[in-house]
Amino acid sequence: MATPLHIVEIDKLKTACSTCSLHELCLPAGLTPTELKSVDQLVNRRRTVKRGEHLYRSGAQLQALYAIRTGFMKSCVLHEDGREQVAGFHMMGELMGMDAIGTNQHLCDAVALEDSDVCEIPLSDLESMSREIPSLHQHFNRVMSREIARDYGVMLLLGSMRAEERLAAFLLNLSQRFAARGYSSTEFHLRMTREEIGSYLGLKLETVSRALSHFQAQGLVAVQNKHLRILKIDNLREMVGQHSCRA
Amino acid sequence: MATPLHIVEIDKLKTACSTCSLHELCLPAGLTPTELKSVDQLVNRRRTVKRGEHLYRSGAQLQALYAIRTGFMKSCVLHEDGREQVAGFHMMGELMGMDAIGTNQHLCDAVALEDSDVCEIPLSDLESMSREIPSLHQHFNRVMSREIARDYGVMLLLGSMRAEERLAAFLLNLSQRFAARGYSSTEFHLRMTREEIGSYLGLKLETVSRALSHFQAQGLVAVQNKHLRILKIDNLREMVGQHSCRA
DNA sequence: ACGGCAATTTGACGCAGATCAAAACGGGCG
DNA sequence: CGCCCGTTTTGATCTGCGTCAAATTGCCGT
């Protein structure tokens, strides 16, 4: 009986935002050290989600928001008929579950693409603490707003780019987010399948595969299975800039 | 000198949330009468935007959020190359500008599709008042969250529906929003052009036109220019439900 | 190390929707 | 009231990407 409690204690300790390397990127970004201490109380539980497992499911009651500490996840909206549309990929320091605040019900599934650790942030605690710490309140608004801004970008992509432009935009987005986390911006591991990329980009897996092959043939990237190296990042940027745009 | 001031006074009066017929739908939804009185102070300016004019432009500094009082607007994301993607249509009681909170800069243009009246809500005032009125804070979070949820729906539409499914989903969405405002759910005026519908749905105007004609031929709707009557709403619902889904 | 299954690649072909074109319509303004 | 220009409709044709298929590769579990 004592042992599990002890484990929980250790978990709590490890979960503290104030000692977390992501605190500049995550929810507590921009807080003073004192405020950071308070926020530590917010995150009172950590959860591990193994590759392929769900963090939450569409329709489930909102229990908490989740900040990704390590790992990689996707969220996908489900059709009635079983088909799924990937609405986003999420990496460490990012917050998930914000779509559920409006209705108290998740409207997408959150699935781990590799073993992941997340911090649980009960919404009610976040709201009450926001009242005490205005800059937390403000920062949370910004995080939600940025999610809206991201979504607008995805709409732009889905609504008016052609296949290779979409893929280029996708790779550049990943590149930039890895860079922001101190990883290489030109060489990384794609944790999702071609099918998942395709779903996110509104394309079929074959089209994604062909586009990647074509990029490789042009010398823009070097792909080997899920390992990707960007060779000519400027050319990719150009592709996204200038649309010959069909829609 | 006295006259313009007087006009402003009258405007202020008319702008009060507590006397606004939209307060159940808009930002102050769910507040007590006392709280509502406080929120009146938030909305200290009203603005008229004529058909075709911009409420704000992409890249502009965030001045305030805007609640639509009357009229109809679109927001569109711009490509570097001048093409535009309509990210949403907005009607009375809806809040615009939330995408700009994260960066303090608007990332889309807001254009009136008919002469519109909007209430200006300075973000800083909203934030400070949220601290005093928890339910306002909570409700604002919900409004932002619902925008995220809406965006996920649009992604689903753009990423995995075929042309006629998209149009059906669009019509049903309009129908539902008009109904929520006490207008007919089956008969309304399309304030946007076929091209704008197409841009929103990731289709070309000709495709939108053809799809509408096809719906009419099937007896699902009656269209005459911008006037639309939904005849078989259940059939439209079925269309959106069951995808033969290509992406 | 090996077997089996999932993921990826590549090719051939088809089709939904884009593109091009032109006619019809409608609404705002002089 | 009638003209003009922007919007819409409809037709014909083209094409990017989806679909189907099959071969290849790589990864996971035993």
Side-chain angles (χ1 to χ4, degrees):
Chain A
M1 283 294 143
T3 314
L5 270 174
H6 199 58
I7 286 167
V8 169
E9 292 293 313
I10 289 169
D11 275 1
K12 272 194 189 176
L13 210 64
K14 284 206 256 175
T15 302
C17 292
S18 48
T19 60
C20 174
S21 60
L22 294 170
H23 76 250
E24 281 304 332
L25 217 70
C26 190
L27 192 61
L31 299 188
T32 66
T34 326
E35 289 167 344
L36 204 53
K37 279 281 174 200
S38 311
V39 174
D40 281 349
Q41 297 162 28
L42 262 188
V43 182
N44 44 23
R45 206 138 66 97
R46 208 172 65 174
R47 200 166 133 189
T48 294
V49 192
K50 290 242 177 301
R51 184 177 194 294
E53 283 180 0
H54 283 70
L55 175 57
Y56 50 77
R57 283 172 195 275
S58 169
Q61 208 68 17
L62 171 66
Q63 305 291 343
L65 300 179
Y66 302 93
I68 302 179
R69 166 176 280 262
T70 64
F72 205 90
M73 308 202 70
K74 68 172 175 182
S75 43
C76 31
V77 196
L78 302 170
H79 297 219
E80 280 116 80
D81 63 8
R83 286 244 141 266
E84 70 175 45
Q85 161 79 23
V86 174
F89 296 109
H90 312 276
M91 51 178 81
M92 52 198 233
E94 294 176 345
L95 212 58
M96 298 185 70
M98 291 180 291
D99 56 281
I101 296 172
T103 58
N104 261 307
Q105 249 183 256
H106 290 286
L107 66 75
C108 56
D109 282 19
V111 182
L113 295 181
E114 62 181 32
D115 294 1
S116 304
D117 270 9
V118 299
C119 302
E120 281 192 22
I121 305 168
L123 182 62
S124 52
D125 296 1
L126 176 59
E127 283 176 342
S128 56
M129 188 159 298
S130 291
R131 233 161 285 143
E132 291 160 36
I133 310 177
S135 55
L136 177 65
H137 176 192
Q138 200 174 36
H139 188 66
F140 181 55
N141 282 346
R142 278 204 247 270
V143 170
M144 290 199 97
S145 170
R146 264 185 237 131
E147 170 68 17
I148 294 173
R150 182 190 77 85
D151 296 345
Y152 280 23
V154 177
M155 287 183 210
L156 182 60
L157 182 147
L158 291 173
S160 48
M161 291 187 189
R162 17 188 64 253
E164 297 200 349
E165 290 170 346
R166 295 184 198 191
L167 187 64
F170 172 69
L171 295 179
L172 290 171
N173 175 266
L174 280 184
S175 159
Q176 179 217 313
R177 285 155 74 198
F178 279 123
R181 282 155 186 79
Y183 296 107
S184 168
S185 66
T186 54
E187 193 162 2
F188 45 84
H189 200 77
L190 299 168
R191 285 108 212 270
M192 68 295 284
T193 66
R194 303 286 189 265
E195 186 170 23
E196 285 161 337
I197 297 174
S199 172
Y200 180 63
L201 299 178
L203 303 169
K204 301 263 68 171
L205 71 158
E206 294 94 330
T207 306
V208 173
S209 178
R210 273 184 249 271
L212 273 175
S213 301
H214 188 217
F215 284 178
Q216 180 147 35
Q218 290 172 291
L220 302 179
V221 304
V223 229
Q224 192 173 45
N225 216 17
K226 305 214 155 168
H227 185 84
L228 186 116
R229 194 144 46 99
I230 298 180
L231 301 174
K232 296 187 182 170
I233 199 161
D234 290 334
N235 296 48
L236 288 178
R237 290 211 183 95
E238 277 168 40
M239 288 198 64
V240 180
Q242 49 181 29
H243 311 272
S244 47
C245 183
R246 37 157 38 195
Chain B
M1 281 292 140
T3 314
L5 271 173
H6 200 58
I7 286 167
V8 169
E9 292 293 312
I10 288 169
D11 276 3
K12 270 194 186 177
L13 210 64
K14 283 206 256 176
T15 302
C17 292
S18 47
T19 61
C20 175
S21 61
L22 293 169
H23 76 250
E24 280 303 333
L25 216 70
C26 190
L27 192 61
L31 299 189
T32 66
T34 326
E35 290 167 344
L36 203 52
K37 279 279 172 202
S38 312
V39 174
D40 281 348
Q41 298 162 29
L42 262 188
V43 182
N44 43 24
R45 208 139 65 96
R46 207 171 67 172
R47 200 166 133 190
T48 294
V49 193
K50 291 241 177 299
R51 184 176 196 293
E53 285 180 1
H54 282 71
L55 174 58
Y56 51 76
R57 282 172 194 277
S58 168
Q61 208 70 15
L62 172 66
Q63 304 292 344
L65 300 179
Y66 302 93
I68 301 180
R69 166 177 279 263
T70 63
F72 206 89
M73 308 201 72
K74 69 172 175 181
S75 43
C76 31
V77 196
L78 302 171
H79 297 219
E80 279 118 78
D81 63 8
R83 285 245 142 266
E84 70 174 45
Q85 161 80 23
V86 174
F89 297 107
H90 312 277
M91 52 177 82
M92 52 198 234
E94 293 177 345
L95 213 58
M96 298 185 70
M98 291 179 291
D99 56 280
I101 297 172
T103 58
N104 262 307
Q105 248 183 259
H106 289 287
L107 67 74
C108 55
D109 281 19
V111 182
L113 296 181
E114 62 182 30
D115 294 1
S116 303
D117 270 9
V118 299
C119 302
E120 281 192 24
I121 305 168
L123 183 61
S124 51
D125 296 1
L126 176 60
E127 283 175 341
S128 56
M129 187 158 300
S130 292
R131 233 161 284 139
E132 290 161 37
I133 309 178
S135 55
L136 177 64
H137 176 192
Q138 200 173 35
H139 188 66
F140 181 55
N141 282 346
R142 278 204 248 270
V143 170
M144 291 200 95
S145 170
R146 264 185 237 130
E147 170 67 18
I148 295 173
R150 182 190 76 85
D151 297 345
Y152 280 23
V154 177
M155 288 183 209
L156 182 61
L157 183 146
L158 291 173
S160 49
M161 290 189 190
R162 16 189 64 256
E164 299 202 345
E165 290 168 347
R166 294 184 199 191
L167 186 64
F170 172 69
L171 296 179
L172 290 171
N173 175 266
L174 281 184
S175 160
Q176 181 216 310
R177 284 155 74 199
F178 280 123
R181 281 154 186 81
Y183 297 107
S184 168
S185 66
T186 55
E187 193 163 2
F188 46 84
H189 200 76
L190 300 168
R191 287 109 210 270
M192 67 295 284
T193 66
R194 303 286 189 265
E195 186 170 23
E196 286 161 336
I197 297 174
S199 172
Y200 180 63
L201 299 178
L203 303 169
K204 301 263 67 171
L205 70 158
E206 295 95 328
T207 306
V208 173
S209 176
R210 274 185 247 272
L212 272 175
S213 301
H214 189 216
F215 283 179
Q216 181 148 34
Q218 289 173 294
L220 302 178
V221 304
V223 230
Q224 192 174 41
N225 215 18
K226 304 214 156 166
H227 185 83
L228 187 115
R229 194 143 47 95
I230 298 180
L231 301 173
K232 295 187 182 170
I233 200 162
D234 290 335
N235 296 49
L236 288 178
R237 290 212 183 93
E238 276 169 39
M239 287 197 64
V240 179
Q242 50 181 26
H243 312 272
S244 47
C245 180
R246 39 159 36 198

